[in-house]
């Protein structure tokens, strides 16, 4: 019972049970940022249908407005995109996935360097195409520029050792 979607033929004023539960949790905890992973667990419509997608995203936008909370909806990209075989916008389905939201970004993981690059695809209040690069350090993503030279050397040594281990 986790669908956050209003059926087309249903009462557009009604909200799904999952919507009401999520709203109650946000209000009870005072959360100002909600990360929802993974959109396929909540969206049960046709990802290629602009109407289905827009209704779903409008419902989340309504929830954000009612609770004064930023909601980040996480959608995992097609495997070929993640493996570097395809380049594009990092989403599948209708263009409404990008057009009906206020911001959209893609997080890519370069398996060779272990660098994650966050690219802004759309933003109402920021520059499109802006990139931030992160590395995984001690269980957290850290901006590349925030690492000390000692940490970079240590990271490079570990990376080289991993490559050598894989070759062996």
């Amino acid at each position: 019972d986790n669908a956050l979607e209003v059926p087309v033929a249903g009462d557009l004023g009604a909200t799904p049970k999952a919507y009401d539960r999520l709203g109650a949790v946000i209000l009870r905890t005072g959360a100002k940022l909600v990360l929802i992973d993974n959109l396929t667990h909540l969206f049960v419509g046709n990802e290629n249908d602009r109407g289905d997608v827009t209704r779903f995203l409008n419902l989340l936008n309504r929830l954000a407005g009612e609770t004064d909370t930023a909601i980040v909806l996480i959608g995992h990209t097609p495997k070929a995109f993640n493996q570097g075989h395809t380049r594009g916008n990092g989403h599948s389905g209708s263009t409404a996935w990008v057009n009906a939201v206020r911001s959209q970004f893609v997080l890519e993981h370069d398996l060779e360097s272990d660098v994650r690059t966050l690219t802004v695809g759309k933003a109402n209040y920021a520059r499109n195409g802006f990139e931030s690069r992160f590395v995984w350090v001690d269980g957290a993503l850290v901006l590349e520029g925030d690492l000390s030279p000692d940490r970079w050397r240590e990271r490079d040594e570990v990376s080289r050792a991993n490559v050598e281990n894989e070759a062996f």
Side-chain angles (χ1 to χ4, degrees), residues 19-33:
Y19 176 95
D20 296 332
R21 283 193 313 266
L22 181 57
V25 169
I26 292 169
L27 291 173
R28 187 175 67 246
T29 62
K32 292 299 173 193
L33 174 65

Side-chain angles (χ1 to χ4, degrees), residues 89-143:
N89 53 19
H91 68 85
S92 64
S94 166
T95 55
W97 287 113
V98 174
N99 295 339
V101 296
R102 301 189 49 82
S103 300
Q104 179 264 344
F105 51 90
V106 175
L107 181 64
E108 293 181 83
H109 182 195
D110 182 332
L111 297 176
E112 286 185 28
S113 67
D114 201 31
V115 170
R116 277 79 166 183
T117 303
L118 182 74
T119 305
V120 176
K122 174 186 177 181
N124 285 11
Y125 303 108
R127 187 180 69 212
N128 291 346
F130 178 78
E131 290 186 354
S132 295
R133 293 169 47 96
F134 300 87
V135 292
W136 189 256
V137 178
D138 298 331
L141 289 175
V142 178
L143 277 169

Side-chain angles (χ1 to χ4, degrees), residues 2-168:
N2 60 341
L4 278 175
E5 186 174 4
V6 176
V8 178
D11 178 5
L12 296 179
T15 54
K17 290 178 189 174
Y19 176 95
D20 296 332
R21 283 193 313 266
L22 181 57
V25 169
I26 292 169
L27 291 173
R28 187 175 67 246
T29 62
K32 292 299 173 193
L33 174 65
V34 173
L35 301 164
I36 299 176
D37 185 14
N38 170 340
L39 76 87
T40 58
H41 294 278
L42 306 171
F43 177 71
V44 294
N46 179 349
E47 74 170 6
N48 295 306
D49 183 303
R50 286 185 187 151
D52 282 0
V53 172
T54 301
R55 270 188 302 282
F56 172 73
L57 293 173
N58 284 344
L59 196 62
L60 287 178
N61 191 42
R62 174 179 161 188
L63 182 62
E66 289 173 346
T67 60
D68 193 29
T69 302
I71 297 177
V72 176
L73 180 61
I74 299 171
H76 297 270
T77 57
K79 288 193 184 311
F81 180 83
N82 289 332
Q83 295 166 353
H85 299 186
T86 342
R87 287 290 176 244
N89 53 19
H91 68 85
S92 64
S94 166
T95 55
W97 287 113
V98 174
N99 295 339
V101 296
R102 301 189 49 82
S103 300
Q104 179 264 344
F105 51 90
V106 175
L107 181 64
E108 293 181 83
H109 182 195
D110 182 332
L111 297 176
E112 286 185 28
S113 67
D114 201 31
V115 170
R116 277 79 166 183
T117 303
L118 182 74
T119 305
V120 176
K122 174 186 177 181
N124 285 11
Y125 303 108
R127 187 180 69 212
N128 291 346
F130 178 78
E131 290 186 354
S132 295
R133 293 169 47 96
F134 300 87
V135 292
W136 189 256
V137 178
D138 298 331
L141 289 175
V142 178
L143 277 169
E144 263 186 331
D146 289 348
L147 284 182
S148 69
D150 290 343
R151 289 306 296 238
W152 268 115
R153 278 191 296 279
E154 178 185 317
R155 188 178 173 283
D156 286 344
E157 289 170 11
V158 168
S159 181
R160 272 193 300 279
N162 286 341
V163 168
E164 290 169 1
N165 285 340
E166 284 185 35
F168 181 73

